[in-house]
Structure formats: C-alpha cells, structure tokens
Amino acid sequence: MSDMKIAVMGAAGRMGRELVRTVHAMPGCVVAGAIEPPGSSGVGQDVGLLAGVGELGVPVTTDALEVVAKVDGILDFTAPRASVEFAGLAANARIVHIMGTTGFSDADEAAIRAAARHATIVKAGNMSLGVNLLVAVTRKVAEALDADFDIEVLEMHHRHKVDAPSGTALMLGQAAADGRKIALKDHSVRSRDGHTGARNRGDIGFATLRGGNVVGEHSVVFAADGERIVLSHIATDRGIFARGAVKAALWARGKGPGLFGMSDVLGM
C-alpha cells in the first residue's frame, strides 16, 4: 500500500508544527496538505520550513475543501467550530479524520456523530498511550471502590489553553462515572466557591489550574476516611500526542466509517 497522504489542520500552530514533524518522520505516511485560517502569517509558506524539517513542497493554504479532496486523512487539533466544519468535509470525501480538539458543545458532538456515518473519525481528548491507560485504570478502580471513596479530577495546563476542564480531565471523569455506573452530568462538580456546604456523596469533582508552559498534568484522587489512592500522568512533551494521532490515522486507514476512540486504536 502506498504511503498515507495526510493533511495537518492548523499547521502553523505549536501542535500543528509538531504534527508535521511527526508525519514527516513516521514511516507509512507523508505530509500532503496544510491548512491555516485566513489572516494567518503561515499562509503561503512551505509547511516543512515552518516545522523545521526542510522544504516539503507543501504550501500552507486556507482552502480546506481543496486539500481534503486530495488526501487520505486529516489531523485536527484546532477549535470546535473548525473541527465540526472539517468533519463535514471529511464525511463528503470519505476519509480519515483524527480529532484531538476539545471543548465541544452538545450540538457539536451531534454533528460529529452525523459526520462519522461517512468519515472514519478517531476522536479523543488525549492521544497519548499513557493517558489512555490511565483512563482504563480509572474506570477499573472506580468500579472496584464504592462511594465511600470520593473522586476528584485535577488538571493543569499552560496559560494559553482556552477550555476547562481539559478534554482529558473530562475523559477521566467519564471513566470514573462509567466505573460507578452513574451519569457524569448528574454528578459533576466543576467549581466550588463560597459557602458550598458539605460534599455530596457520589459526586465527581474537577479542579483546574493554568500557568506557565505546562504541557499537561492529570490526577484522579480516590479519597476515603484514612486513605487516598492517587493515579497520575504527567506529559512533558507534546510529541506524545502527535505520535498517538499519527498512529491513529494509520490504524484508521481502510477501517470504514464510524466514530472511534483511542481505546479502539490501542485495542484496550
């Protein structure tokens, strides 16, 4: 089979450049397209030069429709509105869409599910192997422990992150809720301020920190009287997310339409 032709959406950003470097270095795929929004300083430049891997002959463009029509898959760590638009284009082209964007609304999620009837979408709040193992372990621990153990999800990211809690924190909270067989939306506590009263039994709390250049830190705390279990993952290099995304694209090629997660890619 020929190398998979991959386009990077938001190619001039920090994550976009990391994705370009990873695609360029990984066997079985090539950088075949690069997208930036109108007004971006990256438009018109060679994406390889932007990413520091040398000239690739792939200019950054604003025409997503043209790019999607000539590639096998797209890597997308952009913004909810853009990702929903890209999902529609991927559906029309019947290609692979790897989606690492977070912060979707319920309407966005519905649009993505609709696109997955024709596109092969792998969507995850975090593409790293370690985080997805943490998700699986969180589900198992929550299943094993009763509500005497309070569950709190803590996360910290760099100062530029715009959504909170992080997509990974929500993945972990959902895993804990699945383990407990409860609906996260009915037990989620996103903030505490002022005189809140005692903690409700069975709630899953979220705490968010922002600062510096932190790539991503997540912990799930199971706290009972006299003991705590703390499960943690610390990311120091966003390359782990890029490598996971490219591996997901190669896995998804030829799979057919559907909405998948990293647990499918990793066989967990």
Side-chain angles (χ1 to χ4, degrees):
M1 185 181 292
S2 61
D3 285 346
M4 184 177 186
K5 294 181 290 184
I6 294 178
V8 177
M9 323 311 271
R14 287 177 300 169
M15 191 63 201
R17 294 194 301 270
E18 189 67 50
L19 289 165
V20 170
R21 289 190 286 269
T22 303
V23 173
H24 180 66
M26 192 170 291
C29 54
V30 294
V31 180
I35 294 294
E36 272 288 295
S40 167
S41 60
V43 174
Q45 298 190 52
D46 186 281
V47 74
L49 295 177
L50 281 176
V53 296
E55 189 169 348
L56 297 179
V58 179
V60 178
T61 178
T62 62
D63 193 342
L65 179 61
E66 180 183 9
V67 167
V68 168
K70 62 184 182 183
V71 298
D72 302 310
I74 59 176
L75 304 179
D76 170 21
F77 287 67
T78 57
R81 183 176 178 180
S83 289
V84 170
E85 177 184 344
F86 297 148
L89 296 178
N92 287 335
R94 271 50 172 186
I95 64 169
V96 170
H97 184 178
I98 307 303
M99 191 182 298
T101 307
T102 58
F104 292 109
S105 67
D106 289 344
D108 294 335
E109 297 283 5
I112 292 166
R113 288 193 297 272
R117 291 199 290 266
H118 302 290
T120 308
I121 299 178
V122 179
K123 176 177 173 290
N126 194 300
M127 298 278 176
S128 88
L129 171 60
V131 161
N132 283 278
L133 287 172
L134 178 60
V135 170
V137 172
T138 296
R139 184 182 300 110
K140 287 290 187 182
V141 174
E143 185 178 1
L145 301 176
D146 64 21
D148 285 343
F149 282 81
D150 301 320
I151 302 175
E152 294 285 316
V153 181
L154 291 75
E155 59 105 339
M156 183 170 185
H157 283 84
H158 53 86
R159 65 171 67 93
H160 302 291
K161 188 167 178 60
V162 298
D163 59 306
S166 69
T168 303
L170 293 173
M171 285 172 61
L172 292 166
Q174 186 61 59
D178 290 345
R180 286 274 170 90
K181 296 181 172 57
I182 60 176
L184 180 61
K185 64 182 178 63
D186 296 332
H187 294 273
S188 174
V189 177
R190 302 292 183 89
S191 63
R192 298 184 178 101
D193 185 32
H195 188 76
T196 61
R199 191 186 198 282
N200 292 324
R201 180 178 172 86
D203 278 350
I204 297 175
F206 292 84
T208 298
L209 301 175
R210 294 287 178 267
N213 64 349
V214 176
V215 174
E217 299 182 6
H218 296 85
S219 294
V220 184
V221 180
F222 295 85
D225 293 345
E227 61 181 330
R228 289 196 307 277
I229 299 167
V230 182
L231 309 175
S232 296
H233 178 271
I234 297 173
T236 58
D237 177 5
R238 60 177 42 86
I240 63 175
F241 312 128
R243 289 191 292 274
V246 178
K247 288 178 181 177
L250 294 169
W251 173 89
R253 188 182 191 185
K255 281 290 187 297
L259 181 58
F260 304 95
M262 283 301 288
S263 59
D264 298 301
V265 176
L266 299 170
M268 295 192 301

